[in-house]
Each structure stands twice: as C-alpha cells, then as structure tokens.
Coordinates of all heavy atoms in Angstrom, one line a residue:
Q1163 N -7.3 -7.0 -2.4 CA -8.4 -6.8 -1.5 C -9.2 -5.6 -1.8 O -10.4 -5.5 -1.4 CB -7.9 -6.9 -0.1 CG -6.9 -5.9 0.4 CD -6.4 -6.2 1.8 OE1 -6.6 -7.3 2.3 NE2 -5.7 -5.2 2.3
E1164 N -8.7 -4.6 -2.4 CA -9.5 -3.4 -2.8 C -9.6 -3.2 -4.3 O -10.0 -2.1 -4.7 CB -8.8 -2.2 -2.1 CG -8.8 -2.2 -0.6 CD -8.2 -1.0 0.0 OE1 -8.7 0.1 -0.2 OE2 -7.1 -1.2 0.7
L1165 N -9.2 -4.2 -5.1 CA -9.3 -4.0 -6.5 C -10.8 -4.2 -7.0 O -11.4 -5.3 -6.8 CB -8.4 -5.1 -7.2 CG -8.3 -5.0 -8.7 CD1 -7.7 -3.6 -9.1 CD2 -7.4 -6.1 -9.2
R1166 N -11.3 -3.2 -7.6 CA -12.7 -3.2 -8.0 C -13.0 -4.2 -9.1 O -12.1 -4.4 -10.0 CB -13.2 -1.8 -8.4 CG -13.2 -0.8 -7.3 CD -13.6 0.6 -7.8 NE -14.9 0.5 -8.4 CZ -16.1 0.7 -7.8 NH1 -16.0 0.9 -6.4 NH2 -17.2 0.7 -8.4
D1167 N -14.1 -4.8 -9.0 CA -14.6 -5.7 -10.1 C -13.7 -6.9 -10.5 O -13.5 -7.2 -11.6 CB -14.9 -4.9 -11.4 CG -15.9 -3.8 -11.2 OD1 -16.9 -4.0 -10.4 OD2 -15.7 -2.7 -11.7
L1168 N -13.0 -7.4 -9.4 CA -12.2 -8.6 -9.7 C -13.1 -9.8 -9.7 O -13.2 -10.5 -8.7 CB -11.1 -8.7 -8.6 CG -10.1 -9.8 -8.7 CD1 -9.4 -9.7 -10.1 CD2 -9.0 -9.6 -7.6
N1169 N -13.7 -10.1 -10.8 CA -14.8 -11.0 -10.9 C -14.3 -12.4 -11.5 O -15.1 -13.1 -12.1 CB -15.9 -10.5 -11.7 CG -16.6 -9.3 -11.0 OD1 -16.7 -9.3 -9.8 ND2 -17.1 -8.4 -11.8
K1170 N -13.1 -12.8 -11.2 CA -12.6 -14.1 -11.6 C -12.1 -14.8 -10.4 O -11.7 -14.2 -9.4 CB -11.4 -13.9 -12.6 CG -11.8 -13.2 -13.9 CD -10.5 -12.9 -14.8 CE -10.9 -12.2 -16.0 NZ -9.7 -12.0 -16.9
P1171 N -12.2 -16.2 -10.4 CA -11.8 -17.0 -9.3 C -10.3 -16.8 -9.0 O -9.5 -16.8 -9.9 CB -12.2 -18.4 -9.7 CG -13.1 -18.3 -10.8 CD -12.8 -17.0 -11.5
I1172 N -10.0 -16.8 -7.7 CA -8.6 -16.7 -7.2 C -8.4 -17.8 -6.2 O -9.1 -18.0 -5.3 CB -8.2 -15.4 -6.6 CG1 -8.4 -14.3 -7.7 CG2 -6.8 -15.4 -6.1 CD1 -8.2 -12.9 -7.2
I1173 N -7.3 -18.6 -6.4 CA -6.9 -19.7 -5.5 C -5.7 -19.3 -4.8 O -4.7 -18.9 -5.4 CB -6.7 -21.0 -6.3 CG1 -7.9 -21.4 -7.1 CG2 -6.2 -22.1 -5.4 CD1 -7.6 -22.4 -8.3
C1174 N -5.7 -19.4 -3.5 CA -4.5 -19.2 -2.7 C -3.9 -20.5 -2.2 O -4.6 -21.3 -1.6 CB -4.8 -18.3 -1.5 SG -3.4 -17.8 -0.5
A1175 N -2.6 -20.7 -2.5 CA -1.9 -21.9 -2.1 C -1.0 -21.6 -1.0 O 0.1 -20.9 -1.3 CB -1.2 -22.6 -3.3
V1176 N -1.3 -21.9 0.2 CA -0.5 -21.5 1.4 C 0.6 -22.6 1.7 O 0.2 -23.7 2.1 CB -1.4 -21.3 2.6 CG1 -0.5 -20.9 3.8 CG2 -2.4 -20.2 2.3
N1177 N 1.8 -22.2 1.5 CA 2.9 -23.2 1.5 C 3.7 -23.1 2.8 O 4.8 -23.7 2.8 CB 3.8 -23.0 0.3 CG 4.3 -21.5 0.2 OD1 3.4 -20.6 0.1 ND2 5.5 -21.2 0.1
G1178 N 3.2 -22.5 3.8 CA 4.0 -22.4 5.1 C 3.4 -21.4 6.0 O 2.2 -21.3 6.2
I1179 N 4.2 -20.6 6.6 CA 3.8 -19.6 7.5 C 3.0 -18.5 6.8 O 3.4 -17.9 5.8 CB 5.0 -18.9 8.3 CG1 5.7 -20.0 9.2 CG2 4.5 -17.7 9.1 CD1 7.0 -19.5 9.7
C1180 N 1.8 -18.2 7.3 CA 0.9 -17.2 6.7 C 0.4 -16.3 7.9 O -0.4 -16.8 8.7 CB -0.3 -17.9 6.1 SG -1.5 -16.8 5.3
C1181 N 1.0 -15.1 8.0 CA 0.7 -14.3 9.1 C 0.5 -12.9 8.7 O 0.9 -12.4 7.7 CB 1.7 -14.5 10.3 SG 3.4 -13.9 9.8
G1182 N -0.2 -12.1 9.6 CA -0.4 -10.7 9.4 C -1.1 -10.5 8.0 O -2.1 -11.0 7.7
G1183 N -0.4 -9.6 7.2 CA -0.9 -9.3 5.9 C -1.0 -10.5 5.0 O -1.7 -10.5 4.0
G1184 N -0.2 -11.6 5.3 CA -0.3 -12.8 4.5 C -1.7 -13.4 4.7 O -2.3 -13.9 3.7
V1185 N -2.2 -13.4 5.9 CA -3.6 -13.8 6.1 C -4.6 -13.0 5.3 O -5.6 -13.5 4.8 CB -3.9 -13.8 7.6 CG1 -5.4 -14.0 7.9 CG2 -3.1 -14.9 8.4
E1186 N -4.4 -11.7 5.3 CA -5.3 -10.8 4.6 C -5.2 -11.1 3.1 O -6.3 -11.0 2.4 CB -4.9 -9.3 4.9 CG -5.1 -9.0 6.3 CD -4.8 -7.6 6.7 OE1 -3.9 -7.0 6.0 OE2 -5.3 -7.1 7.7
I1187 N -4.1 -11.4 2.5 CA -4.0 -11.8 1.1 C -4.8 -13.1 0.9 O -5.6 -13.2 0.0 CB -2.6 -12.0 0.7 CG1 -1.9 -10.6 0.7 CG2 -2.5 -12.7 -0.7 CD1 -0.4 -10.7 0.4
A1188 N -4.7 -14.1 1.8 CA -5.4 -15.3 1.7 C -6.9 -15.0 1.7 O -7.7 -15.6 1.0 CB -5.0 -16.3 2.8
L1189 N -7.3 -14.1 2.6 CA -8.7 -13.8 2.8 C -9.3 -13.1 1.5 O -10.5 -13.1 1.3 CB -8.9 -12.8 3.9 CG -8.9 -13.5 5.3 CD1 -8.8 -12.4 6.4 CD2 -10.0 -14.4 5.6
S1190 N -8.4 -12.6 0.6 CA -8.9 -12.0 -0.6 C -9.1 -13.0 -1.7 O -9.7 -12.6 -2.7 CB -7.8 -11.0 -1.1 OG -7.6 -9.9 -0.1
A1191 N -8.7 -14.2 -1.5 CA -8.9 -15.3 -2.5 C -10.3 -15.9 -2.3 O -10.9 -15.7 -1.2 CB -7.8 -16.3 -2.4
D1192 N -10.7 -16.7 -3.2 CA -12.0 -17.4 -3.2 C -11.8 -18.8 -2.6 O -12.8 -19.3 -2.0 CB -12.6 -17.4 -4.6 CG -12.8 -16.1 -5.1 OD1 -13.5 -15.3 -4.6 OD2 -12.1 -15.7 -6.1
L1193 N -10.7 -19.4 -2.8 CA -10.4 -20.8 -2.3 C -9.0 -20.8 -1.8 O -8.1 -20.2 -2.3 CB -10.6 -21.8 -3.5 CG -11.9 -22.0 -4.2 CD1 -11.8 -22.9 -5.4 CD2 -13.0 -22.5 -3.2
I1194 N -8.9 -21.5 -0.7 CA -7.6 -21.7 0.0 C -7.2 -23.1 0.2 O -7.9 -23.9 0.8 CB -7.5 -21.0 1.4 CG1 -7.9 -19.5 1.3 CG2 -6.2 -21.1 2.0 CD1 -8.1 -18.8 2.6
V1195 N -6.1 -23.5 -0.5 CA -5.6 -24.9 -0.2 C -4.2 -24.6 0.5 O -3.5 -23.7 0.3 CB -5.3 -25.7 -1.5 CG1 -6.7 -26.1 -2.1 CG2 -4.5 -24.9 -2.5
A1196 N -3.9 -25.5 1.5 CA -2.8 -25.3 2.3 C -2.0 -26.6 2.5 O -2.5 -27.7 2.6 CB -3.2 -24.7 3.7
A1197 N -0.7 -26.4 2.6 CA 0.2 -27.5 2.9 C 0.0 -28.0 4.3 O -0.4 -27.2 5.2 CB 1.7 -27.1 2.6
E1198 N 0.3 -29.2 4.6 CA 0.1 -29.8 5.9 C 0.9 -29.1 7.0 O 0.6 -29.3 8.2 CB 0.3 -31.3 5.9 CG 1.7 -31.7 5.4 CD 1.8 -33.2 5.1 OE1 0.8 -33.9 5.3 OE2 2.8 -33.6 4.6
H1199 N 2.0 -28.4 6.7 CA 2.8 -27.7 7.7 C 2.4 -26.2 7.8 O 3.1 -25.4 8.5 CB 4.3 -27.8 7.4 CG 4.7 -27.1 6.1 ND1 4.4 -27.6 4.8 CD2 5.4 -26.0 5.9 CE1 4.9 -26.8 3.9 NE2 5.5 -25.8 4.5
A1200 N 1.4 -25.7 7.1 CA 1.0 -24.3 7.1 C 0.5 -23.9 8.5 O -0.1 -24.7 9.2 CB -0.1 -24.0 6.0
T1201 N 0.8 -22.7 8.8 CA 0.3 -22.1 10.1 C -0.2 -20.7 9.8 O 0.2 -20.0 8.9 CB 1.4 -22.0 11.2 OG1 2.5 -21.3 10.7 CG2 1.8 -23.4 11.6
F1202 N -1.1 -20.2 10.7 CA -1.8 -18.9 10.5 C -1.8 -18.1 11.8 O -2.1 -18.7 12.8 CB -3.2 -19.2 10.0 CG -3.3 -20.0 8.7 CD1 -3.3 -21.4 8.8 CD2 -3.4 -19.4 7.5 CE1 -3.4 -22.2 7.7 CE2 -3.4 -20.2 6.3 CZ -3.4 -21.6 6.4
A1203 N -1.6 -16.8 11.7 CA -1.7 -15.9 12.8 C -1.9 -14.5 12.4 O -1.5 -14.1 11.3 CB -0.5 -16.1 13.7
L1204 N -2.4 -13.7 13.3 CA -2.5 -12.2 13.2 C -1.8 -11.6 14.4 O -2.4 -11.3 15.4 CB -4.0 -11.8 13.1 CG -4.7 -12.3 11.9 CD1 -6.2 -12.1 12.1 CD2 -4.3 -11.5 10.7
P1205 N -0.4 -11.5 14.3 CA 0.4 -11.0 15.4 C 0.5 -9.5 15.6 O 1.2 -9.0 16.4 CB 1.7 -11.6 15.1 CG 1.8 -11.6 13.6 CD 0.4 -11.9 13.1
E1206 N -0.3 -8.8 14.8 CA -0.2 -7.3 14.9 C -0.4 -6.8 16.3 O 0.2 -5.8 16.6 CB -1.3 -6.7 13.9 CG -0.9 -6.7 12.5 CD -1.3 -8.0 11.7 OE1 -1.6 -9.0 12.4 OE2 -1.3 -8.0 10.5
I1207 N -1.3 -7.4 17.1 CA -1.5 -7.0 18.4 C -0.2 -6.8 19.2 O -0.1 -6.0 20.1 CB -2.5 -7.9 19.1 CG1 -3.0 -7.3 20.4 CG2 -2.0 -9.3 19.3 CD1 -3.9 -6.2 20.3
R1208 N 0.7 -7.7 18.9 CA 2.0 -7.7 19.7 C 2.9 -6.6 19.3 O 3.9 -6.3 20.0 CB 2.7 -9.1 19.5 CG 1.8 -10.2 20.1 CD 2.4 -11.6 19.8 NE 1.5 -12.7 20.2 CZ 1.7 -13.9 19.9 NH1 2.7 -14.3 19.1 NH2 0.8 -14.9 20.3
S1209 N 2.7 -6.0 18.1 CA 3.5 -4.9 17.7 C 2.8 -3.6 17.8 O 3.2 -2.6 17.2 CB 4.1 -5.1 16.3 OG 3.0 -5.3 15.4

C-alpha cells in the first residue's frame, strides 16, 4: 500500500475471512475476486 511506482496489475483472491489489515491489503489490489463464503470487516473500533 505504500510501495512507490507499483505500476503492474495486482489481483486479490479473497478465500474467506478478510478483516482489519486484510481489508487494507485487498484495497491495495486493483481487482478483487472472492469466494462465495468470504466476509469483510474493520473491527479495529472494538479494540
């Protein structure tokens, strides 16, 4: 997410629970494909 000049396509394949920093990694990709059981959350507020 902070790597300069990363000018190549990145695909994120989300294979299950994607939360917190996992969501931030997915947001760093250009395309996101996800399995039908994948879930997403930003639970930082609770900690």
